[in-house]
Amino acid sequence: MHKGGCRCTRLPRIEPGYTVKMSGDSHKTFYLETFGCQMNVHDSEKVIGTLVHEGYQQVETVEQADLILYNTCSIRDKAEQKVFHRLADYKKLLAQGKKFGLLGCVAQQEGEKIFERAPHVAMVCGSASYRNLPQMLIQIEAGKQRVTGLDDRETDECFETEFTARTNPHRGYITIIEGCDKFCAYCVVPFTRGKERSRTSESVLAEARQMADLGYTEIQLLGQNVNSYKDPDCGSSGKKKTFAELLAAVGEVPGIRRVRFTTSHPRDFGRDIIDAIDAVPTLCDHVHLPVQSGSDRVLNAMQRLYTREQYLERIAWMKSAKREISITSDVIVGFPGETEEDFAETLSLLDEVGYDAVFTFKYSPRPNTPSLALEDAIPDQEKSRRLEALMARQKEIQIARYKRYIGEVVEVMVEGKNEARKQWIGRTSHNKTLNFTAHEESALQAGSYVKVKATQSFPNSLLGELMI
Ligand code: 5AD
Ligand code: SF4
């Protein structure tokens, strides 16, 4: 599962030990724009690392680039349309000899059909084929008009790279599992990202240690369903690790101060995850556990593999943890057949759980998915009404919940400074933005950890003062 919102990649930091192969053609440049979830953002970091190693230089504008790449998202129709609009906008650049490549979920979903819809595209490559990018680029450079890298769902390919160009020097992602075998009725991911495949715990831990050596203090473990993780072999360390054991082991890597993980699937969410959070202080007290609906009837139609009661049982585990765990979720409104009563059950679930954030979506029919066979009969206007009602209810809940921080002193990782507001930007272990003022600024810099007293709350952020 993914979180919404798109983000453009900035020029990466070149990490120590990061070597660039200088080919004869050292001025090959590329521009990469990323749409979609954290998995895509992290894939882009790996793509950038791979391309820079191949002698390409990343640039910040399409005008400067020889090669223009889009890492695409197809989770909802809107995301997909955005990609095609962007491609149409840049068609004119073809006359300047620029080449275009489409990566990611839309590339995998639409395959060679993209060449018909956008004939100026030269390369189409799904996420399981990124390891072939260097060879594909050689073909394009040699003048080949159309190059594809597409895999079927059964692929075993993973995209583990020697070079990852992480954009943030303090906080970084590590993929632990790719693909998805859940087949929720509405979701395109099992078709675009292939079957579930986990990395060995050994290679995940080696990457975590390497990141710690490079100065990273926060790690976010990534996967469509991180807690469906299955350690593929014993490696030399002898014993396979469960997800909770891997999480704890990453949290115990010297130098790592915070570990996050996303996304969790309720069906595979075990109590051992809460035990790990209790036992290892570096594991952040935040769980993103998408519920999608509060109605058993809709959950069943969505093929979500759990009931409302089972979901609430997991919430109860979290609420019994030693530290207060911040809980966030995803909800879809207007799934085919969702009645007013079903929707009311989703509203009541929000009240019962008390989420700190909910990402809300209108149902969008997607290619290949089981629910495509169901009539998308709820009018868009009604979906919008439910979405607004849901957001309004959640806003009230958040206003009340964020107030509980007032007067509390919490540790934040400094993310930067908003110069216009003269405020520093911090992030709490609960994953909340806590902006703060400071009389003494000399010790403050991005990546440092400081204590801040919360003095004011808003629906989505907090305001405070530096304590030390
Ligand atoms: N329509 C609407 N929302 C969707 N999501 C996934 N597929 C769809 C769809 N077809 C939402 C789910 C998921 C989040 C990342 O996107 O809530 O958890
Ligand atoms: Fe999509 Fe369901 Fe898999 Fe999440 S668990 S990626 S929503 S199919």
Side-chain angles (χ1 to χ4, degrees):
M1 283 172 266
H2 328 247
K3 264 195 236 163
C6 77
R7 198 172 117 181
C8 300
T9 45
R10 283 165 290 133
L11 294 187
R13 162 178 109 122
I14 304 298
E15 292 167 353
Y18 189 96
T19 51
V20 176
K21 197 196 282 176
M22 292 310 290
S23 66
D25 184 11
S26 61
H27 52 264
K28 297 180 292 185
T29 53
F30 74 99
Y31 169 87
L32 171 62
E33 189 169 351
T34 305
F35 299 84
C37 64
Q38 287 118 313
M39 294 288 284
N40 266 12
V41 171
H42 186 41
D43 278 351
S44 285
E45 292 179 335
K46 297 190 228 177
V47 167
I48 295 166
T50 304
L51 262 60
V52 171
H53 184 245
E54 290 303 309
Y56 276 78
Q57 186 196 344
Q58 192 190 9
V59 291
E60 278 189 276
T61 63
V62 280
E63 288 74 20
Q64 294 169 289
D66 303 320
L67 175 67
I68 298 168
L69 298 173
Y70 291 108
N71 190 359
T72 60
C73 169
S74 67
I75 194 87
R76 285 168 293 275
D77 187 52
K78 236 186 192 169
E80 183 179 330
Q81 294 317 321
K82 207 184 270 175
V83 175
F84 285 106
H85 286 144
R86 192 61 61 92
L87 279 176
D89 284 350
Y90 287 134
K91 206 168 162 182
K92 53 184 179 294
L93 294 170
L94 189 67
Q96 298 170 20
K98 298 186 191 298
K99 309 267 188 198
F100 294 86
L102 218 61
L103 311 177
C105 292
V106 176
Q108 181 63 41
Q109 177 190 298
E110 295 299 306
E112 296 191 351
K113 280 189 276 174
I114 289 172
F115 295 130
E116 289 157 34
R117 202 161 160 190
H120 54 304
V121 169
M123 180 172 78
V124 170
C125 184
S127 65
S129 296
Y130 291 159
R131 61 174 61 248
N132 301 329
L133 276 172
Q135 290 84 335
M136 294 171 73
L137 291 172
I138 288 169
Q139 290 181 313
I140 290 182
E141 284 167 24
K144 196 161 176 207
Q145 293 295 309
R146 287 174 175 180
V147 181
T148 52
L150 300 165
D151 263 286
D152 62 21
R153 219 197 89 78
E154 294 311 311
T155 180
D156 284 319
E157 289 292 339
C158 280
F159 187 42
E160 281 185 48
T161 49
E162 202 181 338
F163 303 101
T164 301
R166 292 191 165 89
T167 49
N168 184 314
H170 315 291
R171 192 179 56 209
Y173 296 122
I174 299 182
T175 310
I176 65 163
I177 178 168
E178 291 188 34
C180 180
D181 287 345
K182 290 283 188 292
F183 291 97
C184 300
Y186 51 80
C187 187
V188 78
V189 168
F191 306 93
T192 57
R193 284 191 166 267
K195 73 170 183 208
E196 210 166 82
R197 50 214 192 270
S198 300
R199 276 174 70 181
T200 64
S201 55
E202 227 174 67
S203 88
V204 171
L205 282 165
E207 190 170 354
R209 284 187 211 108
Q210 189 191 33
M211 286 173 69
D213 287 346
L214 289 168
Y216 288 88
T217 57
E218 182 175 318
I219 286 178
Q220 184 157 0
L221 301 181
L222 280 187
Q224 248 70 47
N225 295 305
V226 274
N227 56 330
S228 310
Y229 176 81
K230 279 181 205 71
D231 201 349
D233 67 39
C234 308
S236 57
S237 62
K239 189 178 165 288
K240 286 189 190 192
K241 288 192 174 16
T242 62
F243 171 65
E245 287 166 347
L246 176 61
L247 190 60
V250 174
E252 278 158 0
V253 169
I256 296 303
R257 294 183 62 158
R258 285 185 174 180
V259 182
R260 301 185 187 279
F261 54 99
T262 199
T263 291
S264 298
H265 190 285
R267 218 279 304 264
D268 299 339
F269 194 94
R271 206 179 181 137
D272 55 350
I273 299 173
I274 304 302
D275 294 340
I277 295 175
D278 276 346
V280 183
T282 51
L283 303 187
C284 287
D285 33 19
H286 167 224
V287 175
H288 184 65
L289 195 67
V291 67
Q292 312 300 358
S293 169
S295 149
D296 276 340
R297 227 178 50 79
V298 175
L299 287 174
N300 188 40
M302 285 178 166
Q303 295 165 209
R304 282 292 286 177
L305 312 172
Y306 55 85
T307 60
R308 175 185 174 113
E309 192 188 337
Q310 286 165 335
Y311 181 87
L312 287 172
E313 190 186 11
R314 278 131 188 90
I315 298 294
W317 295 342
M318 289 184 223
K319 290 189 175 173
S320 69
K322 288 186 193 149
R323 286 180 280 162
E324 190 202 344
I325 294 182
S326 169
I327 311 167
T328 57
S329 197
D330 293 345
V331 170
I332 297 176
V333 297
F335 186 79
E338 183 190 66
T339 62
E340 198 51 51
E341 291 73 41
D342 293 321
F343 177 62
E345 288 193 46
T346 300
L347 290 177
S348 80
L349 185 103
L350 297 193
D351 293 334
E352 207 166 329
V353 175
Y355 292 112
D356 277 343
V358 176
F359 299 88
T360 50
F361 308 100
K362 288 195 266 185
Y363 169 71
S364 164
R366 305 309 294 133
N368 304 315
T369 59
S371 67
L372 198 62
L374 306 172
E375 194 191 350
D376 180 25
I378 302 174
D380 189 60
Q381 215 181 1
E382 176 57 17
K383 285 183 188 164
S384 298
R385 189 193 66 78
R386 292 183 192 178
L387 193 79
E388 275 160 32
L390 197 75
M391 286 175 5
R393 177 72 65 93
Q394 180 55 27
K395 189 172 173 190
E396 282 170 30
I397 293 170
Q398 277 176 226
I399 288 172
R401 287 191 63 76
Y402 272 60
K403 278 191 184 146
R404 75 192 191 280
Y405 290 98
I406 295 179
E408 258 192 48
V409 176
V410 283
E411 186 183 65
V412 299
M413 185 210 241
V414 179
E415 293 194 328
K417 189 174 182 186
N418 182 330
E419 293 291 350
R421 289 189 177 177
K422 296 192 169 44
Q423 281 172 2
W424 289 85
I425 305 159
R427 183 156 300 272
T428 69
S429 172
H430 271 175
N431 205 27
K432 306 228 155 19
T433 302
L434 170 45
N435 299 313
F436 62 98
T437 51
H439 295 302
E440 176 51 57
E441 303 206 334
S442 55
L444 287 175
Q445 55 179 347
S448 59
Y449 290 82
V450 292
K451 295 262 193 296
V452 175
K453 183 174 184 171
T455 52
Q456 241 182 297
S457 71
F458 304 97
N460 287 302
S461 67
L462 297 159
L463 190 63
E465 290 160 8
L466 181 71
M467 288 303 285
I468 46 161

